Amino acid sequence: MNRPWTLASSVAGAVVVALDGTVLTVAQPSLQREMHASFAEVQWTSTAYLVAVASLLVFAGRLGDRYGQRRLFGLGMLGFGAASAGIAVAPTVGWVIGLRAVQGVFGALLQPATLGMLRAAYPPDRLASPLAVRTGAIGLAAAAGPLVGGALVTGLGWRAVFLVNVLPALAFGLPALLRPDRRPAPARTPLDLPGAVLLAVSLAFLVYALTARPVSAPALAVSAVAAAVLVRHERRTPGPLLPPEVIGSRAIGAALGILVAVSASLFGTLFVATYVLQRRLGLDPFDSALRSLPLAVLMVLSAALCPALLRRCGARATTAGATAALALGVLLLSRTTSVTGLGCGFALLGAGFGTVMVAATQVIVRRAEVTTAGVAGGLQQTALNVGPTVGVAAATALLGTGTGPALLTLAAVAALALPATRALPAPARVTSITPTPDEPAPADAPARR
């Protein structure tokens, strides 16, 4: 497999998805005015995508394991680009909502494949560096999204933000389909379609429940029942959707839990911080973006430094330190509104999240076999979709108590992830074979000269 092309494709897929989400936020007010849409309809342009993508990520990862990660990536990229082009010419808001759901389906196909391709192309001990490049690119996309979206909406209108996805989709999707990986050996067991349906129902209703205002208790109940049935089904089926070697790993389970907690804390904090910057301090959106710029800068820098930290300190200490830094950043933001204090708080958020992203993702992808890398990537992406949804829902519910208490609670959410870091691997100990005075040399030890 061509490693440079694989890394470039993985980065392109991750950036397209990250950029799409950030520019949509900027475009929504203009979309609402032009289409005479209600606030609920505009909210569904985000909810439809989230429900579709979150419910299908793991099953899409399994399809990649079975039929080839590059093939699924190419199909996902081309479908994502086609849906984006359709949104750009949609006649009504109903069409926009429907096409956003279609976009979510193809986004689910391509996202696990961006990690599965890396796992297939790089040996486990060299995964940290490409994952750092991928994470740094996501940070740049998150920082550039509001600026790019604002410029496009101001100059060309809201439809232009969706056309940004078309060229990258063609440039990377077509080569992936024209030159796919060699097809894996045929699987002996059929696809676990009942498990896929149960997981999709559970995640779809969970995401819908958390994005509804107020939170939907009936949807949460349906999600819980579907999850319980899924657990029972997976224990009995001969070919489960969720392989025991993946979900049974303490390290992978801990890494997924950490990603949910820190992403919930980060995105909940950003939601609250928007109110602090724009309502309490009276800043406009552009000035607010400038105040939070240290987050993106430190996310990119920390991702670049993380491979060296992993080699020196191991995933356990690296992730624990980064999680503590993120929690400290949330605490700082709860106590200050000064320019320096806000800058330091956002910097700690970026440094902590960028490091956790690389370290936890490396644990998940590295510990999975190549044959289950797609499922592992789907679980990682699911954690990064569910976590922010939980965080924003919690922040919305807590805002009534004030921004200070809300941020303190979100700091506690990040701190809850610290005990889980103990399940992550520590650095390997280097042992010497030099015999001690009271210990005979091993029979296969080289003779001293």
Side-chain angles (χ1 to χ4, degrees), residues 386-408:
V386 171
T389 306
V390 171
V392 172
T396 303
L398 292 167
L399 268 179
T401 64
T403 57
L407 290 172
L408 287 174

Side-chain angles (χ1 to χ4, degrees), residues 50-345:
L50 287 173
V51 169
V53 74
S55 61
L56 294 174
L57 281 166
V58 177
F59 183 59
R62 173 54 90 190
L63 291 176
D65 292 333
R66 191 180 181 101
Y67 300 110
Q69 302 295 349
R70 188 180 292 185
R71 183 178 283 107
L72 265 290
F73 171 80
L75 181 61
M77 283 291 275
L78 291 176
F80 197 90
S84 299
I87 295 171
V89 296
T92 66
V93 70
W95 276 95
V96 173
I97 294 170
L99 287 169
R100 281 287 287 168
V102 173
Q103 196 181 39
V105 172
F106 287 105
L109 293 181
L110 76 91
Q111 288 184 65
T114 63
L115 292 172
M117 290 191 302
L118 290 181
R119 176 64 181 88
Y122 290 85
D125 59 348
R126 295 182 59 187
L127 269 173
S129 294
L131 289 174
V133 173
R134 182 179 180 276
T135 301
I138 293 172
L140 287 175
L147 301 177
V148 172
L152 288 173
V153 171
T154 301
L156 300 173
W158 68 267
R159 297 176 186 272
V161 303
F162 291 99
L163 294 175
V164 172
N165 302 325
V166 177
L167 285 179
L170 290 172
F172 289 94
L174 283 176
L177 282 184
L178 294 175
R179 297 184 62 185
D181 296 328
R182 283 183 295 178
R183 185 167 178 168
R188 295 182 180 179
T189 57
L191 284 172
D192 182 16
L193 294 179
V197 171
L198 288 169
L199 181 61
V201 170
S202 179
L203 289 173
F205 276 89
L206 174 63
V207 171
Y208 169 73
L210 294 174
T211 54
R213 298 291 179 267
V215 172
S216 173
L220 282 177
V222 172
S223 176
V225 170
V229 176
L230 173 67
V231 170
R232 187 176 182 215
H233 168 78
E234 292 293 284
R235 287 176 175 173
R236 297 185 173 191
T237 186
L241 173 68
L242 303 172
E245 62 269 24
V246 175
I247 62 170
S249 167
R250 288 183 67 245
I252 291 178
L256 290 170
I258 291 165
L259 284 176
V260 170
V262 298
S263 61
S265 179
L266 173 70
F267 283 87
T269 297
L270 293 178
F271 183 84
V272 176
T274 301
Y275 281 83
V276 174
L277 294 172
Q278 296 187 20
R279 294 191 178 182
R280 186 188 300 179
L281 301 183
L283 302 177
D284 60 34
F286 183 77
D287 287 334
S288 298
L290 288 179
R291 294 286 177 92
S292 62
L293 193 59
L295 186 151
V297 173
L298 266 293
M299 183 174 170
V300 174
L301 292 177
S302 64
L305 293 173
C306 189
L309 284 173
L310 288 171
R311 286 192 298 269
R312 185 177 183 84
C313 305
R316 182 184 301 171
T318 299
T319 307
T323 303
L326 188 144
L328 182 61
V330 181
L331 282 174
L332 184 57
L333 291 175
S334 72
R335 298 293 182 183
T336 182
T337 56
S338 68
V339 174
T340 302
L342 290 172
C344 290

Side-chain angles (χ1 to χ4, degrees), residues 114-116 118-119 127-128 130-132 134-135 138 251-252 255-256 258-259 306 310 315 319 353-368 373 376-377 379-381 383-384 424:
T114 63
L115 292 172
L118 290 181
R119 176 64 181 88
L127 269 173
L131 289 174
R134 182 179 180 276
T135 301
I138 293 172
I252 291 178
L256 290 170
I258 291 165
L259 284 176
C306 189
L310 288 171
T319 307
F353 189 70
T355 304
V356 170
M357 270 276 288
V358 176
T361 301
Q362 189 242 19
V363 170
I364 296 167
V365 179
R366 178 175 180 171
R367 291 201 158 237
L379 289 169
Q380 187 262 7
Q381 292 292 317
L384 290 176
L424 301 182

Side-chain angles (χ1 to χ4, degrees), residues 4-21:
W5 187 92
T6 299
L7 178 57
S9 298
S10 178
V11 168
V15 166
V16 163
V17 172
L19 197 62
D20 179 81

